[in-house]
Amino acid sequence: MKTRRLVLTFPENIVTKPITYKLVKNFDLEFNILRAEITTEMEGKILIEIKGNKNQIEKGIEYLTKEGVTIQEASKDIIMDKDQCIHCGLCTSLCITKALTLDKINFKLNFNKDKCILCGFCQNSCPVNAIKIKM
Ligand code: SF4
Ligand code: SF4
C-alpha cells in the first residue's frame, strides 16, 4: 500500500464531473480530500491523500490526466517567516486560493493557512526567501 499527496486542478468544464469517485470505483483507490477550493477563475483545486497499490495509483493518475485534470505532488507544510517578509506582494499574484493577500489598508501580507493547499507556487516568487515549503 502506497500513499501520495497530490494537488489536483480541475478546469471549469469538468469541475462538476464525478471524476474522483471513479478513482475508488475503477482503480480501487482510497482517498481523503484534505482541502478543496474553487478559485475565482472557477477552477477546482483539491489537496488529496491517495492510497492504494502503486500501479493502480499510476493508472488513476493517468486517467485523471486524460480527463483534463492537472496533477502535482503536494508539499507537506509551508512556513512563512514574517520577520523576513518585506510585503512586496509578489507571492499573492501566484496564490490561486487567496491564502496570501495584501491588506488593503496597511499593505501588509496576510496568510490564511486554512486556505493553503500546499501547491508551492508561491515559494519561488519570494525575493527574500520568506516562504519555505517542506516536501
Ligand atoms: S502553497 Fe502558497 S501559493 Fe499555494 S495555496 Fe499555499 S500559500 Fe497559496
Ligand atoms: S513575496 Fe515574500 S516578501 Fe513579498 S509579500 Fe510574499 S512573502 Fe513577503
Side-chain angles (χ1 to χ4, degrees):
M1 180 82 83
K2 194 171 163 55
T3 302
R4 282 176 72 180
R5 283 159 51 92
L6 303 168
V7 177
L8 310 183
T9 304
F10 294 75
E12 186 181 359
N13 60 325
I14 59 166
V15 84
T16 54
K17 282 174 92 176
I19 288 172
T20 43
Y21 159 75
K22 288 198 178 168
L23 287 178
V24 178
K25 190 168 174 286
N26 298 355
F27 301 97
D28 196 25
L29 297 173
E30 288 174 34
F31 73 95
N32 284 325
I33 296 179
L34 304 174
R35 285 182 204 171
E37 290 281 334
I38 300 280
T39 70
T40 45
E41 289 80 27
M42 298 307 288
E43 278 184 341
K45 281 218 167 240
I46 60 174
L47 172 64
I48 64 166
E49 194 168 71
I50 191 165
K51 282 185 195 169
N53 170 283
K54 190 170 176 270
N55 288 338
Q56 290 302 98
I57 291 178
E58 292 306 326
K59 283 181 184 167
I61 288 173
E62 200 179 306
Y63 158 74
L64 289 170
T65 306
K66 278 189 187 151
E67 288 288 333
V69 180
T70 307
I71 299 164
Q72 64 187 104
E73 296 290 335
S75 330
K76 288 202 175 78
D77 199 7
I78 177 170
I79 296 164
M80 297 291 306
D81 186 339
K82 288 186 179 165
D83 295 333
Q84 286 266 84
C85 176
I86 54 170
H87 308 281
C88 66
L90 284 175
C91 57
T92 63
S93 61
L94 294 170
C95 183
I96 299 166
T97 65
K98 305 289 177 212
L100 293 164
T101 53
L102 271 192
D103 188 295
K104 289 191 174 78
I105 294 167
N106 64 15
F107 299 104
K108 299 273 185 194
L109 182 72
N110 289 322
F111 176 49
N112 182 344
K113 202 165 182 177
D114 290 341
K115 285 191 168 182
C116 175
I117 57 163
L118 300 170
C119 66
F121 290 166
C122 56
Q123 180 177 231
N124 293 334
S125 69
C126 183
V128 295
N129 295 323
I131 305 171
K132 305 268 185 320
I133 300 281
K134 288 190 183 169
M135 295 302 287

